[in-house]
Amino acid sequence: MSEKKDETLSRLEEEGEVAADYLEELLDIADLDGDIEIDVENGRASVEIVADDATGLENLVGEDGEVLDALQELTRLAVQTELGERSRLMLDIAGFRADRRVQLRELTQEAINRLNATGEPQKLEPMNPFERKVWWARLACTPNRKAQIHIAMS
């Protein structure tokens, strides 16, 4: 591995460690049980809060992941404050984002299938940035250029 890749990996691991410390404090304050898993995926630090009984973590996810999105931004700010650089880390809680990624891939495939069957443009529900990224990644794998053009989010 090159020196630059080593530096990048080391920086991302450090982001994960700072984020984990921040989230551990949050769990302690909220009196919630959970373990922190740190990884590096797709050039980003990836941090997940997991628990044997995830029902206690549901409030940290919120409806449609809204609380999770807010916690991710707060965690990114904590990392930026500590390290002095903007962080692009991804936070998941109790597998919410992983499950949502699977749902979005299926939703996108269904829209592609409807487009192919009817020839009519397809509209999807509004999505947050994470969801749009997953959607675009799935759509980019579609050889049907028409699908790439005629499926839009409302």
Side-chain angles (χ1 to χ4, degrees):
M1 200 181 304
S2 75
E3 189 174 318
K4 183 167 173 79
K5 285 184 181 179
D6 285 343
E7 282 181 28
T8 300
L9 182 59
S10 178
R11 183 183 54 77
L12 292 173
E13 288 171 343
E14 186 178 16
E15 282 185 24
E17 292 294 334
V18 171
D21 290 345
Y22 175 78
L23 293 166
E24 284 284 355
E25 287 183 41
L26 175 75
L27 291 174
D28 287 344
I29 290 168
D31 195 29
L32 294 172
D33 291 326
D35 295 315
I36 310 291
E37 295 181 356
I38 304 168
D39 200 0
V40 174
E41 296 177 6
N42 302 317
R44 292 180 180 212
S46 175
V47 181
E48 182 174 8
I49 301 174
V50 296
D52 291 333
D53 180 13
T55 56
L57 300 177
E58 289 174 349
N59 289 335
L60 296 180
V61 173
E63 186 175 330
D64 297 326
E66 290 174 349
V67 176
L68 171 57
D69 289 340
L71 284 175
Q72 177 174 278
E73 289 307 312
L74 289 172
T75 305
R76 286 176 174 177
L77 286 172
V79 170
Q80 180 177 345
T81 300
E82 179 76 21
L83 301 179
E85 293 183 25
R86 182 178 170 270
S87 174
R88 295 176 49 232
L89 77 83
M90 290 295 296
L91 175 63
D92 196 0
I93 299 175
F96 176 83
R97 287 199 198 278
D99 293 344
R100 185 68 179 138
R101 185 176 285 118
V102 170
Q103 292 171 347
L104 287 166
R105 287 179 182 145
E106 291 171 358
L107 179 69
T108 304
Q109 187 58 53
E110 290 169 7
I112 291 168
N113 293 344
R114 284 192 311 271
L115 173 67
N116 290 336
T118 66
E120 296 291 320
Q122 301 296 304
K123 287 194 174 195
L124 301 176
E125 295 298 317
M127 298 180 187
N128 66 33
F130 161 77
E131 293 171 331
R132 283 191 303 273
K133 182 175 177 158
V134 172
W135 179 81
W136 276 111
R138 173 61 191 97
L139 199 58
C141 295
T142 302
N144 181 346
R145 184 72 180 137
K146 185 176 180 181
Q148 294 177 0
I149 296 169
H150 291 290
I151 299 178
M153 289 168 269
S154 38

